[in-house]
Amino acid sequence: MNPIYERSRGGREAGTVKTTVRPARADDGAAILAIRNHAIEHSTALWTETPQTPAEGALWLAAHLERGSAFVAEAGGEVVGFAVYGPWRQLDGYRHTVENSVYVREGRHGLGVGSALMAVLVDAARAAGHHVMIAGVESGNEASVRLHERFGFRVVGVIPEVGTKFGRWLDLTLMRLSL
């Protein structure tokens, strides 16, 4: 394996955590699905309350694998996060604009996993010839907003109360990065 990105960083846990980011594979599907479903069940990062089935997760991942836009972070031999980009809108006039998603497994936040994934994701989208990357972030997710800002994303607008989850209205912060 030729990892795209390796990073060692001391974190909350004792010792050093080595994170390797590589292209995702179909056999990463169960780990990615577990991270996605945890976010669905416990956060406002994904605006649905219905966990994905293994079949739905496999179809979702297959679309990203086909376009080469899915990456995983591994630490200690386990998947601790994933990142993807995909079409922002389906009309061909938007074909050079992509939207990103970066998720880190519970218990691995603050260890540099999200940054490692974002670095690879932005580089991959740029290398693929995309022009703009969009991030749609739940406005209360300050950690995600900060992560995107560190990579040069700028807030281009906030749309109030466009989503709902856990019985409350959610605002969407739109961020943009020129690739």
Side-chain angles (χ1 to χ4, degrees):
M1 174 177 78
N2 183 15
I4 293 173
Y5 182 94
E6 289 188 346
R7 180 180 194 170
S8 293
R9 177 179 171 146
R12 288 184 231 146
E13 302 169 6
T16 301
V17 177
K18 181 179 178 185
T19 302
T20 302
V21 176
R22 61 165 173 79
R25 304 182 300 252
D27 65 352
D28 295 317
I32 292 170
L33 182 65
I35 294 167
R36 281 179 60 91
N37 280 341
H38 187 273
I40 288 169
E41 293 170 8
H42 301 282
S43 79
T44 56
L46 283 161
W47 293 6
T48 181
E49 296 180 19
T50 306
Q52 280 194 318
T53 67
E56 291 167 333
L59 284 172
W60 175 88
L61 180 58
H64 288 289
L65 294 176
E66 184 176 322
R67 78 179 147 258
S69 63
F71 302 90
V72 295
E74 290 184 328
E78 63 183 335
V79 173
V80 296
F82 74 90
V84 297
Y85 68 80
W88 185 54
R89 297 278 191 265
Q90 294 302 316
L91 298 175
D92 65 347
Y94 297 106
R95 68 187 172 279
H96 300 292
T97 302
V98 294
E99 183 173 10
N100 75 10
S101 295
V102 177
Y103 290 90
V104 176
R105 197 181 87 204
E106 185 65 25
R108 295 297 186 140
H109 296 98
L111 300 174
V113 174
S115 291
L117 285 162
M118 184 71 82
V120 169
L121 195 67
V122 168
D123 287 347
R126 192 173 280 134
H130 295 293
H131 179 66
V132 170
M133 183 174 278
I134 300 290
V137 180
E138 192 274 315
S139 296
N141 188 343
E142 294 175 10
S144 184
V145 170
R146 284 192 310 271
L147 172 66
H148 284 86
E149 286 176 339
R150 282 197 306 273
F151 282 86
F153 284 78
R154 295 293 170 247
V155 172
V156 294
V158 175
I159 308 171
E161 298 182 357
V162 292
T164 184
K165 189 167 182 184
F166 303 136
R168 62 187 173 100
W169 288 105
L170 303 173
D171 298 345
L172 182 66
T173 295
L174 291 175
M175 303 181 78
R176 177 191 184 279
L177 175 69
S178 290
L179 297 170

